[in-house]
Amino acid sequence: MIKLFRSFTKNVGHGAALPSILMILIGLAFISVMNMLIKHLGVYGYQGSFLAFMRNLSAVIVVLFMLWGSGYFTAKKRHHLNMPRFKLLFLRGFFIIASQTSFFTALHYIELGLARALSYTSSIFVTILAMLLLKEKCGIWRGSAIIIGLIGTFLIVGEGVFLEIEKLPFYLLTVLSAITFACAITTLSFFPKSDDNLVLITYAQIIATILGALALTFIFEWQPINNLRDLFLMLLSGLFGTFGVLCISFAYRMSQASLLASFQYFGLLYALFFGWVFFGENPLDKLFPGAVLIVGAGIVIAVREAIKKIERPHQDGDSKI
């Protein structure tokens, strides 16, 4: 399976539209299955913090197996396993476990589609962090997209609170998850492009697993696993989540971000479908028009970023987006 996956991603070539679109759609489906499994396990009393730990533990097993299958433990490639920039990896692992714990906790109480829609605000927060930390400029398009996206967020939260005031903390947890995920994404900007992606993912997952265990010990609580079925589903969630992230990562390496930006939001359709089929959810009255504004803002940001990369070599560096 590993050889087949590597062969596919190696041979499609840069700019291959159809394979990259297919890859991102598969990755989004995998992540939606993971979220569905997490929500299902929450019905049996498992806390988001414990499920996040188990998801990361499973992911560590998967990525270590992939490293072994790719020959990283041989003398020829072992040098790739040198841990790069521990402080940055620690921060990335911290943000990953914080994002997962927040999101998985919220999934127990709000609809899949609603949680997924709010998670897309991460692209807005990534843009804000890029301006604050990386000193990127804010032009009309980028500034307008941020404002529109934030308005969409407030509309979804406001509509949900109006209908279910008691669920306000879980709406806010979902937004917190988007913010911490944006922080995890932003840390990647501080790693050199020469660093191996699979190695970075492996170390981030290991650190997230260790931090998750510490959080369960000192902040939350460990929980017994009721049966082998639940254990299998927890491990399966890590498998789907890991391959989902890898598929999306490879898709963006194969093609332009502007081409894939709109397809990224198929994840919302998946979430709505799984929520309807498996949990009888129908949150459309809470999603519109807020979700439209969030998705639109995300697409504008992605397209403008792609345009900026194209225009930059032909300008003196003073362009604004």
Side-chain angles (χ1 to χ4, degrees):
M1 183 176 180
I2 293 176
K3 290 183 179 179
L4 179 64
F5 183 77
R6 289 177 61 206
S7 175
F8 177 78
T9 57
K10 183 178 180 180
N11 294 322
V12 289
H14 180 74
L18 289 179
S20 61
I21 292 171
L22 177 62
M23 185 70 77
I24 198 170
L25 292 178
I26 292 173
L28 290 170
F30 282 170
I31 290 176
S32 296
V33 172
M34 178 196 71
N35 291 336
M36 182 267 292
L37 292 172
I38 293 295
K39 187 174 181 67
H40 173 75
L41 287 165
V43 175
Y44 295 94
Y46 296 108
Q47 296 178 359
S49 54
F50 182 72
L51 292 174
F53 167 77
M54 292 299 297
R55 179 256 185 265
N56 286 309
L57 180 62
S58 175
V60 169
I61 297 172
V62 172
V63 291
L64 286 177
F65 181 71
M66 293 187 68
L67 287 174
W68 172 78
S70 302
Y72 279 78
F73 296 114
T74 62
K76 184 178 181 180
K77 300 185 70 174
R78 194 175 299 148
H79 65 280
H80 288 291
L81 297 177
N82 295 329
M83 180 179 287
R85 298 159 189 82
F86 175 76
K87 292 182 179 179
L88 276 176
L89 283 172
F90 179 86
L91 275 177
R92 180 165 169 76
F94 170 79
F95 289 132
I96 287 173
I97 192 65
S99 178
Q100 291 172 341
T101 299
S102 301
F103 190 75
F104 292 171
T105 300
L107 274 182
H108 297 178
Y109 301 94
I110 64 177
E111 294 91 336
L112 268 174
L114 195 60
R116 189 65 169 134
L118 288 173
S119 73
Y120 282 125
T121 58
S122 59
S123 62
I124 299 168
F125 294 119
V126 166
T127 305
I128 294 173
L129 288 170
M131 292 187 296
L132 294 176
L133 300 178
L134 304 177
K135 307 302 180 182
E136 294 190 8
K137 297 180 180 180
C138 179
I140 295 177
W141 283 99
R142 175 181 274 185
S144 299
I146 291 173
I147 293 172
I148 291 171
L150 291 177
I151 290 174
T153 305
F154 287 126
L155 286 175
I156 290 179
V157 174
E159 183 67 22
V161 170
F162 176 76
L163 296 174
E164 302 170 303
I165 183 63
E166 71 278 2
K167 293 186 179 180
L168 173 60
F170 307 110
Y171 284 87
L172 298 180
L173 267 182
T174 311
V175 176
L176 175 63
S177 171
I179 294 173
T180 48
F181 181 73
C183 292
I185 293 296
T186 304
T187 59
L188 291 175
S189 301
F190 297 94
F191 288 96
K193 293 183 178 180
S194 58
D195 286 347
D196 191 286
N197 285 337
L198 186 56
V199 173
L200 288 178
I201 291 173
T202 301
Y203 282 125
Q205 291 292 167
I206 292 174
I207 293 172
T209 303
I210 295 172
L211 291 176
L214 292 174
L216 287 171
T217 302
F218 296 105
I219 301 175
F220 303 105
E221 62 180 12
W222 291 91
Q223 293 183 277
I225 299 176
N226 297 330
N227 49 56
L228 288 177
R229 170 188 167 277
D230 289 355
L231 175 61
F232 173 74
L233 292 179
M234 291 175 190
L235 296 177
L236 199 62
S237 71
L239 179 67
F240 276 108
T242 303
F243 275 104
V245 170
L246 288 172
C247 285
I248 293 173
S249 175
F250 277 114
Y252 275 99
R253 290 177 62 184
M254 287 189 283
S255 190
Q256 295 180 355
S258 57
L259 171 67
L260 300 176
S262 58
F263 292 96
Q264 180 78 21
Y265 296 96
F266 268 76
L268 179 56
L269 298 180
Y270 287 141
L272 288 170
F273 176 76
F274 284 126
W276 174 61
V277 171
F278 292 101
F279 305 103
E281 299 173 348
N282 184 23
L284 294 180
D285 56 331
K286 304 174 187 175
L287 284 174
F288 295 100
V292 175
L293 297 180
I294 292 173
V295 171
I299 293 175
V300 168
I301 289 172
V303 171
R304 292 302 299 178
E305 289 295 328
I307 292 175
K308 185 179 72 170
K309 289 181 181 179
I310 294 173
E311 293 178 345
R312 185 175 292 160
H314 306 288
Q315 298 181 359
D316 58 5
D318 194 34
S319 62
K320 293 185 179 182
I321 62 174

